[in-house]
Amino acid sequence: MTSPTELTQLRRIQAGDEQALIDLHAQYARLVYSVAYRVLGDSMAAEEVTQDTFMRVWRSAGTFDARKGSFVTWLLTIARRLAIDTFRKQQRAPVLVETDPEGWDALMGADEGQDLQRTLASAVRDLPDEQRQAIELAYFYGLTHSQIADFLGEPLGTIKTRIRLGMQKLREAWLAEPAMHPNSDDST
Amino acid sequence: MDRDTLIDLIPAYALGALDADECDAVEALLRADAEAQALLAEYEAVAAHVALLAPPQAAPAHLAADLRARLAADRAARPAGPRGTRGSARRRGWSMGMLAAAAAILVLVIAGVLLLNRDEAPEATLMPPATLYRQILGQEGASRFAVVPDEGNETLIGELVVAPRGNPAVLCMTHLPALSTDQVFQLWMIDQEGARTSGGVFTADPAGESVFLHVPFSAPVSAYQGLGVSIEPPGGSPYPDRPTGPRVFSVPLGS
């Protein structure tokens, strides 16, 4: 869920307060840059995507709707789309990387951890390799089922199943953390 | 496809992994099915966490300064006053357009850009650089490159914007260092072989906030590896192909 602080920052951005954007940048640049770098594998291109993402927030803060999802989901959607657009222009091949056993755990304190869930980060990392790879290829490179099947040399039905099962496991982990989804307030 | 099949496709839809025909079918379901919509919202929240599979990378320290430069450039390219909603902007209509033109002229005057002895490229435009800058920014596919200040000029910020076809290009600079009366800035364009050509000399009014400079590339930007600005004696470096004074900043243009 989007924190009250972030909602305030977005309102300040709408009012033209540049410092509010700088503050959000300080909080999320690392996450956005990491995603862009994962897609593009190039620091200059990742920097460009990172900055374009925050300038998009600057110009479009008024279009954010907290009822439709959290700020970080919205931010990452912008970043991911921009990175994938650049990746497609570059016409490079996707790259599969090893999972970092530490990942973001040590970094998810007061910053990125506001909206992203540490336990779900572990669940993502703990997915079976074949499910994780299929989901990564879709998320980071914008590949479709059939493109993933071609890339991995696996039957289309197999890829569909891997993505569905992997995402279902992640949803179960997400639902098990009531603080992270809006219906959690119903119990109070 | 029946409803259960389409519901099974929602996780992949949230990832953007559906091929076109399945995507159309799922979207048709989503338009009419509240339960499917709620499920999609859940999967979209879940999908955001896939970002955490990206190995953490430290964002380069200069990104914050670069963002400030972009904001300054954005501010300079917009008419003064609070940012209105789209509706209010529409209602203002022609008056906003006229204000924008006036603001562009004002920025140019206040910036105090003095171009001296500039080598004219064939594509040199007569449009004021601040106006050209704004025009390029509004073009789909325009490129932007950050200014990298040299030691002692860390407060300097700026960016180069380049039109989608690689030319024209405008350099926006804020907080240039103060010059003595016997000094000017000189712009250098460095091609892929490392050869330097002068882009002209200029000064900036210390009271001016942003300086806009048309960069007279004689080829698309991809033919260049970078830009540099040095401090030179009046009239510029005595050499046509190299600076003699200290560099103020560079603009790496990538490979």
Side-chain angles (χ1 to χ4, degrees):
Chain A
M1 293 173 68
T2 303
S3 72
T5 305
E6 285 166 353
L7 288 174
T8 302
Q9 285 171 317
L10 286 168
R11 278 194 288 270
R12 286 168 54 200
I13 288 170
Q14 273 188 271
D17 183 342
E18 294 178 2
Q19 188 57 46
L21 185 74
I22 300 292
D23 292 345
L24 276 177
H25 186 270
Q27 187 173 349
Y28 285 112
R30 177 173 54 186
L31 181 61
V32 170
Y33 178 78
S34 298
V35 169
Y37 191 87
R38 171 66 184 87
V39 176
L40 298 165
D42 170 76
S43 57
M44 285 193 71
E47 287 178 22
E48 195 65 21
V49 165
T50 302
Q51 304 301 70
D52 286 349
T53 298
F54 283 95
M55 288 307 291
R56 192 71 66 89
V57 171
W58 174 245
R59 296 186 181 118
S60 309
T63 65
F64 172 70
D65 184 346
R67 293 167 298 182
K68 293 182 179 173
S70 71
F71 168 73
V72 75
T73 299
W74 184 64
L75 179 73
L76 288 172
T77 299
I78 295 171
R80 179 176 162 250
R81 283 180 181 162
L82 289 172
I84 290 172
D85 283 349
T86 303
F87 172 77
R88 286 173 176 157
K89 286 176 191 164
Q90 292 177 340
Q91 298 183 314
R92 291 189 303 108
V95 177
L96 292 172
V97 298
E98 291 294 315
T99 307
D100 182 346
E102 294 295 322
W104 289 84
D105 285 356
L107 304 172
M108 291 175 65
D111 294 338
E112 290 87 351
Q114 295 262 340
D115 277 332
L116 292 177
Q117 195 178 352
R118 191 185 306 234
T119 52
L120 199 48
S122 300
V124 173
R125 266 200 325 277
D126 291 343
L127 286 172
D129 281 349
E130 63 272 16
Q131 291 176 10
R132 180 181 54 77
Q133 285 180 348
I135 288 172
E136 277 197 71
L137 288 168
Y139 183 83
F140 289 119
Y141 297 108
L143 299 191
T144 64
H145 278 147
S146 50
Q147 289 169 326
I148 296 167
D150 286 346
F151 181 76
L152 294 176
E154 299 277 4
L156 179 60
T158 301
I159 298 303
K160 287 184 176 183
T161 302
R162 287 176 183 174
I163 287 182
R164 178 169 50 80
L165 292 179
M167 290 295 284
Q168 284 174 347
K169 283 179 192 166
L170 297 181
R171 177 172 172 261
E172 285 162 15
W174 185 76
L175 291 172
E177 291 287 335
M180 291 308 296
H181 48 89
N183 293 337
S184 63
D185 291 342
D186 294 348
S187 61
T188 58
Chain B
M1 279 181 273
D2 61 24
R3 183 176 181 278
D4 286 348
T5 303
L6 292 171
I7 290 287
D8 278 350
L9 290 174
I10 285 178
Y13 181 85
L15 284 172
L18 292 187
D19 291 296
D21 54 339
E22 291 175 331
C23 194
D24 291 344
V26 169
E27 285 176 353
L29 174 73
L30 288 167
R31 281 194 287 275
D33 191 321
E35 188 184 341
Q37 291 165 12
L39 193 61
L40 175 61
E42 290 181 2
Y43 274 114
E44 284 179 336
V46 166
H49 291 74
V50 178
L52 299 174
L53 282 172
Q57 305 282 342
H62 67 84
L63 288 191
D66 172 67
L67 185 66
R68 288 183 190 277
R70 291 187 185 214
L71 287 168
D74 189 72
R75 188 186 336 122
R78 286 170 185 269
R83 300 162 85 204
T85 62
R86 285 181 184 172
S88 62
R90 238 183 252 121
R91 283 194 295 277
R92 287 170 196 162
W94 283 103
S95 62
M96 287 301 289
M98 291 163 69
L99 276 173
I105 293 167
L106 191 61
V107 165
L108 186 66
V109 171
I110 293 174
V113 179
L114 302 173
L115 294 176
L116 308 169
N117 301 332
R118 202 174 85 187
D119 301 331
E120 289 296 327
E123 298 83 357
T125 175
L126 296 176
M127 189 181 292
T131 306
L132 181 60
Y133 175 84
R134 193 182 62 217
Q135 187 186 79
I136 294 171
L137 276 181
Q139 295 175 18
E140 185 79 19
S143 304
R144 307 169 78 149
F145 301 90
V147 158
V148 179
D150 279 80
E151 194 173 345
N153 298 309
E154 285 82 2
T155 59
L156 190 154
I157 51 180
E159 68 170 348
L160 174 76
V161 299
V162 184
R165 65 176 185 275
N167 207 0
V170 174
L171 189 56
C172 170
M173 300 155 280
T174 304
H175 303 320
L176 281 162
L179 294 176
S180 62
T181 54
D182 59 349
Q183 289 178 322
V184 295
F185 295 112
Q186 185 161 11
L187 173 67
W188 299 93
M189 300 174 292
I190 308 155
D191 69 18
Q192 295 293 1
E193 280 71 49
R196 287 168 170 74
T197 52
S198 173
V201 298
F202 63 99
T203 59
D205 181 343
E209 192 178 67
S210 295
V211 173
F212 295 87
L213 184 68
H214 172 237
V215 179
F217 287 131
S218 57
V221 69
S222 57
Y224 296 87
Q225 61 174 271
L227 296 178
V229 164
S230 61
I231 296 176
E232 302 291 343
S237 168
Y239 306 102
D241 58 356
R242 64 178 188 273
T244 58
R247 193 174 69 180
V248 180
F249 67 84
S250 60
V251 184
L253 298 177
S255 55

